Amino acid sequence: MENLLPRNNTKRKIIHLDMDAFYASVEMRDNPTLAQKALIIGQDPRKTNGHGVVATANYIARQYGAHSAMPTMQALRLIPEDKIAFVSPNFKKYRAVSAQIHEFMYEITDAVESVALDEAYLDVTQNKLGKYSAVELAAHLQEKIFKETHLTSSFGVSYNKFLAKMGSEYAKPFGRTIILPNEAEEFLADQPIESFPGIGKKTQEQFHQMNVFTGADLQKLDVDFLLKHFKKMGYFIAQHAHGIDLRPVNGERQRKSIGTERTFEPNIFSENVALTTLRKYSENLSKKLIEKNFKAQTLVIKIRNNNFETVTKRSKLPHPTNEAIEIYQTAKELFSSVDSFLKEGIRLLGLSTTDLQTNQYEEMSLDLITTE
């Protein structure tokens, strides 16, 4: 069978990061009383004449059988009314948290492929942080997300996207799974076909009728057999069963923002310290914008006090710019509108540029005189 498959590439280092019950976790973080409930993110069907779909469910709700895309009325039937809680989705809030998490990813590599607000692939074969293994980089990312957002995530590390995703799903929540090249086929052999990304319920049923229930069963099937029954998809299933996935991480999407932030221990109570920090941030952002050939049109300041109250303020820059002094002047004005946070102590201070535009020209040096 293998001779009909493409040659495997085991040289890459791919991370798949997946936030744990993302929407529900954000709501439980912001309202800790929900953590003891079977939390459903979706409209309460008792208030919508039975209409609504589950966007996500926390792990308590999942123990009752609730899951994403299930009608909320069905979730209500599964879970006792004194145990269940419904919260309507707040996608504006989820997008803001997702953007923060993605900034942490971009600190490691620009090869980031977002699959959803709560899920992304990172190719760290080359990275920005130095000579660290993919596992060290993934652990660093997972720990930073938890420290900065108080949310948990799971990751898988392997040499391709398919295996990395298998890994992130394998040990949820707050899991870490590494699948090495010499372990891949054995790992896949032990997995039920239901855990293979891309094999949906209808295909699972077809496989069950063929007495195919595990990765080991898939590995015994010929490519011709899979092609005959599942056409093009069958060829990809054959590759995946043997740990082959040549898809690149598509990191070509244009950056929507560039930012930096830090949690302070002890907290900041001095205006001078805050402004000095913002000046350093402005210089750092200027350097990043110039490196990426960007100019920013909007500046955003983020501030969180010791009571965990968080505020973001934004302002248009006087004109598109990547100059540190211009960024700092606007940052200083923005800070003056939130400096009351100094009384409680500033726990987190962040600055980001958004509405990025690519420079319309590049500076070039021309050799006007040449010598033979």
Side-chain angles (χ1 to χ4, degrees):
M1 174 176 178
E2 288 84 347
N3 60 355
L4 297 177
L5 298 174
R7 186 175 180 179
N8 209 351
N9 176 6
T10 60
K11 300 299 184 184
R12 293 182 297 162
K13 298 175 182 178
I14 310 296
I15 299 168
H16 181 261
L17 184 102
D18 198 0
M19 301 302 296
D20 298 326
F22 181 50
Y23 304 160
S25 295
V26 172
E27 298 297 347
M28 290 188 294
R29 179 197 69 180
D30 295 347
N31 181 0
T33 61
L34 294 171
Q36 307 306 316
K37 294 284 190 177
L39 178 60
I40 301 295
I41 305 300
Q43 300 288 338
D44 187 338
R46 294 167 294 191
K47 300 176 181 177
T48 61
N49 295 320
H51 298 296
V53 175
V54 176
T56 195
N58 72 355
Y59 288 98
I60 296 176
R62 293 181 192 192
Q63 290 173 3
Y64 288 97
H67 57 77
S68 300
M70 170 184 285
T72 50
M73 196 68 199
Q74 186 177 346
L76 186 60
R77 294 191 192 103
L78 291 171
I79 303 169
E81 287 204 41
D82 63 328
K83 302 289 186 183
I84 198 168
F86 288 93
V87 172
S88 296
N90 183 344
F91 290 106
K92 182 178 180 181
K93 177 164 64 172
Y94 308 149
R95 280 192 290 269
V97 178
S98 175
Q100 181 184 4
I101 292 166
H102 276 72
E103 281 303 316
F104 302 154
M105 298 180 196
Y106 281 115
E107 290 173 4
I108 297 173
T109 176
D110 284 333
V112 176
E113 180 180 342
S114 296
V115 181
L117 292 178
D118 60 344
E119 182 184 354
Y121 295 98
L122 295 81
D123 188 331
V124 295
T125 311
Q126 304 292 329
N127 72 87
K128 299 177 181 180
L129 300 187
K131 295 182 179 179
Y132 295 100
S133 70
V135 177
E136 290 171 322
L137 293 168
H140 162 78
L141 179 59
Q142 186 187 50
E143 290 162 7
K144 181 159 188 174
I145 289 170
F146 183 72
K147 180 181 178 183
E148 300 291 350
T149 70
H150 295 268
L151 299 171
T152 65
S153 58
S154 298
F155 70 74
V157 172
S158 196
Y159 57 88
N160 64 43
K161 291 165 70 173
F162 174 77
L163 288 168
K165 184 171 176 63
M166 288 281 286
S168 69
E169 294 288 339
Y170 183 70
K172 274 182 163 290
F174 211 28
R176 301 178 174 186
T177 303
I178 299 92
I179 305 173
L180 301 175
N182 61 348
E183 300 170 344
E185 289 208 46
E186 184 178 351
F187 171 84
L188 291 166
D190 291 336
Q191 305 310 308
I193 61 169
E194 287 79 4
S195 68
F196 277 57
I199 299 183
K201 287 188 176 181
K202 289 185 178 179
T203 308
Q204 291 168 23
E205 291 171 4
Q206 289 176 273
F207 275 128
H208 290 166
Q209 292 170 5
M210 301 171 183
N211 289 320
V212 175
F213 297 95
T214 67
D217 297 331
L218 280 177
Q219 289 169 357
K220 295 172 185 175
L221 299 177
D222 290 328
V223 175
D224 287 340
F225 177 88
L226 289 167
L227 281 168
K228 178 181 177 182
H229 286 84
F230 303 100
K231 298 185 168 55
K232 184 179 179 180
M233 185 180 71
Y235 188 61
F236 289 110
I237 291 173
Q239 292 182 47
H240 292 168
H242 289 269
I244 301 170
D245 180 10
L246 303 182
R247 293 174 300 160
V249 171
N250 181 12
E252 297 302 317
R253 299 176 185 181
Q254 184 169 331
R255 295 285 300 277
K256 295 182 179 179
S257 66
I258 293 176
T260 185
E261 65 179 43
R262 178 184 161 194
T263 300
F264 292 89
E265 294 178 4
N267 299 160
I268 297 175
F269 291 90
S270 163
E271 182 180 16
N272 284 338
V273 173
L275 292 177
T276 299
T277 301
L278 288 174
R279 184 182 290 275
K280 290 178 180 176
Y281 285 176
S282 300
E283 293 169 353
N284 180 259
L285 290 175
S286 172
K287 182 180 178 182
K288 288 181 178 179
L289 288 166
I290 292 169
E291 286 176 353
K292 301 294 181 184
N293 197 36
F294 282 139
K295 287 188 176 181
Q297 301 178 85
T298 303
L299 192 67
V300 182
I301 192 169
K302 177 180 176 183
I303 190 166
R304 179 180 297 150
N305 67 16
N306 208 31
N307 294 327
F308 243 82
E309 298 169 319
T310 305
V311 169
T312 58
K313 297 277 187 178
R314 63 180 58 226
S315 175
K316 283 286 185 183
L317 290 155
H319 57 87
T321 185
N322 53 23
E323 294 292 332
I325 187 64
E326 294 178 343
I327 294 170
Y328 174 67
Q329 289 299 332
T330 301
K332 191 175 178 181
E333 293 170 10
L334 281 170
F335 181 76
S336 68
S337 68
V338 291
D339 59 2
S340 60
F341 271 50
L342 286 168
K343 295 176 184 177
E344 299 291 339
I346 295 175
R347 174 182 172 82
L348 179 145
L349 185 60
L351 194 66
S352 60
T353 52
T354 186
D355 293 336
L356 305 182
Q357 65 178 37
T358 305
N359 283 343
Q360 298 300 310
Y361 63 90
E362 295 182 5
E363 294 183 5
M364 293 184 292
S365 60
L366 302 178
D367 294 323
L368 298 180
I369 302 175
T370 59
T371 56
E372 297 280 337

